[in-house]
Amino acid sequence: MDFKNLLADRTQLMEANAIREILKVVSKPGVVSLAGGIPSPDSFPMEIINELTDRVLIKYKSNAFQYDLTEGFIPLREQLVHLLENRGIHTDVDGVNIMSGSQGVLDSIAKLLISRGDKIALEAPTYLGALSAFNPYEPNYIRMDMDEKGLVPESLEETLKNHQIKFIYLVPTFQNPTGRTITLERRQKIAAIIQKYDALLVEDDPYSALRYNGDDLPAIKTMAPDHVIYISTLSKIFAPGLRIGFFVAPEFLRQWLVLVKQGVDLHTSTFNQALAAEYLSGNYLETHLPKIIQLYQPKQAAMFNAIKTYLPEKFHCSPSDGGMFLWVTGPKGFDMIKLYYKCIENGVAFVPGKFFFTDEKEGIETMRLNYTMADESTIEKAIQTIAETIQTI
Ligand SMILES: Cc1ncc(COP(=O)(O)O)c(C=O)c1O
């Protein structure tokens, strides 16, 4: 049978992109990967999983294995109301809904909002998974300028002035891929601009809890609640495999997103949601989160130091106070893809940054480095190897 003939038109837009091809070699034996984008397994609270499971079985019995509400398991949503309150986002049990990871929320938003040719405004660079969620619906991307302080508000205003934008997608805190954070002053400006133009912002916030330095910043959602869909996740502060994401949206959109999810998977795993409810209600997060931070903070510091020590002066690393990534920009025109292949030969992988841009001409001289997986001395050696390889180009 010719299965290819059966594929929908939009399926072509999901085709394996160049990054997957390029990253195939990462798993070669002996290669140290700074290319990954996943939390360290050492960050999972394995020591309490039995206890949490017992609590779930005693408290919820067979209900933990039953079909449940599309909106999400109520005991988990009750806990998330408190977690969100601590982030300055005021909502109630009805207002916070669960989906299968933040990725599930991005996918549902795309399905709900994007018609072919709709314009979506994005940071340049942006999160690849968001593009994977949006691409099948055939939007046009409008790229906005970023610098070390995150999205440039004037660029947002220009974009909203000149284009009919369906929504804006931002990762304001410890962005993937750059690790950058939008400053407080800019957040206030962005909130004012989206209100002025009556624009919808999708604020994706998986990393703000992973802060290693400085003070927490308020989400843009707190400044323009009626114009923002706020998305977050337990993937980085509990375990990504449980697939627990959540969102707070303007009521009209929340109701539609529930309908979308009904058609996708009815609801997220009840057992996993119950486990998450117990993790949050039993104060485990309060004791476990500092351990995750203790695990990652020295890794980030080791990577920063190694970059400063070994990389040539013309290679600049964006400041970052948290998350999972650092972003290095080389001299203009420096080909990070060429460097990537040479580094693989020398046993180190990273992600060339160009793949995070929607404009093909951008980002050739950039790279994303992940520091959650390797230990400090491996990180140092890997950066040293990258530095030595740069000299050969
Ligand atoms: C910016 C961003 N959004 C969303 C996700 C997806 O996270 P989740 O595990 O909650 O689906 C990630 C994961 O790396 C991410 O970096």
Side-chain angles (χ1 to χ4, degrees):
M1 214 174 154
D2 183 1
F3 293 109
K4 209 157 183 241
N5 258 340
L6 302 181
L7 299 179
D9 293 344
R10 72 174 169 282
T11 312
Q12 291 169 26
L13 303 162
M14 295 181 201
E15 255 176 0
N17 54 26
I19 191 172
R20 276 187 220 136
E21 288 306 308
I22 226 182
L23 292 180
K24 265 186 192 162
V25 278
V26 170
S27 49
K28 265 185 20 186
V31 173
V32 172
S33 178
L34 306 178
I38 60 176
S40 164
D42 298 337
S43 74
F44 308 155
M46 297 311 293
E47 66 286 358
I48 58 164
I49 298 296
N50 280 340
E51 198 174 313
L52 289 180
T53 307
D54 286 346
R55 284 174 64 127
V56 166
L57 297 179
I58 291 164
K59 207 160 166 180
Y60 305 112
K61 304 185 179 68
S62 59
N63 287 338
F65 300 91
Q66 185 53 283
Y67 282 119
D68 198 61
L69 299 176
T70 304
E71 288 86 342
F73 190 58
I74 288 179
L76 173 59
R77 287 155 70 203
E78 284 168 352
Q79 292 307 315
L80 289 171
V81 168
H82 301 305
L83 183 143
L84 287 159
E85 192 67 34
N86 288 336
R87 295 184 186 176
I89 296 168
H90 311 296
T91 187
D92 56 16
V93 174
D94 293 332
V96 56
N97 283 199
I98 314 294
M99 286 204 180
S100 299
S102 330
Q103 194 66 33
V105 189
L106 292 172
D107 184 61
S108 294
I109 290 173
K111 197 173 188 183
L112 179 66
L113 298 182
I114 307 174
S115 299
R116 180 185 296 157
D118 279 351
K119 291 178 181 173
I120 298 175
L122 305 161
E123 292 157 314
T126 189
Y127 168 55
L128 261 189
L131 299 181
S132 306
F134 304 158
N135 283 346
Y137 300 95
E138 304 179 60
N140 287 328
Y141 296 119
I142 309 295
R143 49 88 62 214
M144 298 182 290
D145 293 333
M146 257 189 125
D147 62 21
E148 302 298 28
K149 295 179 184 170
L151 175 72
V152 177
E154 291 72 22
S155 179
L156 169 65
E157 177 136 32
E158 257 327 278
T159 301
L160 293 177
K161 214 183 269 174
N162 295 323
H163 301 275
Q164 189 68 37
I165 293 292
K166 202 44 150 335
F167 62 85
I168 303 144
Y169 170 73
L170 300 179
V171 184
T173 310
F174 314 138
Q175 193 222 27
N176 180 2
T178 63
R180 292 171 182 156
T181 292
I182 302 177
T183 59
L184 179 59
E185 196 196 345
R186 286 194 180 181
R187 284 170 194 244
Q188 286 159 344
K189 281 190 182 161
I190 292 166
I193 293 168
I194 58 176
Q195 285 169 313
K196 176 173 161 192
Y197 290 87
D198 211 14
L200 176 67
L201 167 65
V202 174
E203 179 175 26
D204 188 3
D205 183 26
Y207 299 111
S208 63
L210 300 183
R211 175 174 280 281
Y212 316 133
N213 297 297
D215 296 326
D216 286 338
L217 289 174
I220 299 170
K221 173 76 175 169
T222 65
M223 304 168 186
D226 298 337
H227 289 79
V228 179
I229 302 178
Y230 176 83
I231 309 173
S232 193
T233 177
L234 298 188
S235 287
K236 321 293 173 183
I237 57 175
F238 185 11
L242 295 173
R243 308 307 301 129
I244 308 288
F246 52 97
F247 69 94
V248 181
E251 181 56 17
F252 177 87
L253 294 176
R254 186 194 66 77
Q255 289 180 15
W256 274 104
L257 286 166
V258 173
L259 288 183
V260 171
K261 184 169 172 67
Q262 259 167 18
V264 174
D265 60 359
L266 297 181
H267 65 82
T268 299
S269 154
T270 315
F271 181 80
N272 291 0
Q273 291 187 72
L275 210 59
E278 290 314 293
Y279 180 62
L280 297 180
S281 68
N283 285 333
Y284 295 102
L285 176 65
E286 284 78 353
T287 38
H288 190 67
L289 181 57
K291 291 187 196 165
I292 303 178
I293 291 172
Q294 264 168 31
L295 175 71
Y296 291 156
Q297 192 172 35
K299 291 173 189 264
Q300 196 212 42
M303 187 173 269
F304 259 132
N305 286 340
I307 289 170
K308 225 170 126 197
T309 311
Y310 300 111
L311 290 197
E313 246 175 49
K314 286 193 171 150
F315 288 72
H316 168 77
C317 183
S318 293
S320 177
D321 287 325
M324 303 191 350
F325 305 105
L326 291 181
W327 182 254
V328 171
T329 306
K332 192 136 192 64
F334 184 89
D335 187 350
M336 286 292 185
I337 294 183
K338 198 166 155 196
L339 179 68
Y340 170 81
Y341 282 114
K342 287 214 153 189
C343 280
I344 290 284
E345 282 170 25
N346 295 336
V348 176
F350 57 84
V351 186
K354 106 187 259 305
F355 299 108
F356 302 103
F357 291 84
T358 50
D359 182 341
E360 272 187 13
K361 294 184 287 295
E362 282 193 276
I364 189 72
E365 60 279 313
T366 60
M367 67 162 109
R368 188 191 76 177
L369 298 165
N370 163 267
Y371 51 80
T372 54
M373 293 299 278
D375 61 46
E376 285 93 303
S377 74
T378 309
I379 289 172
E380 182 178 357
K381 278 191 214 121
I383 300 294
Q384 218 173 339
T385 303
I386 294 174
E388 283 159 15
T389 313
I390 288 172
Q391 301 306 337
T392 68
I393 284 191

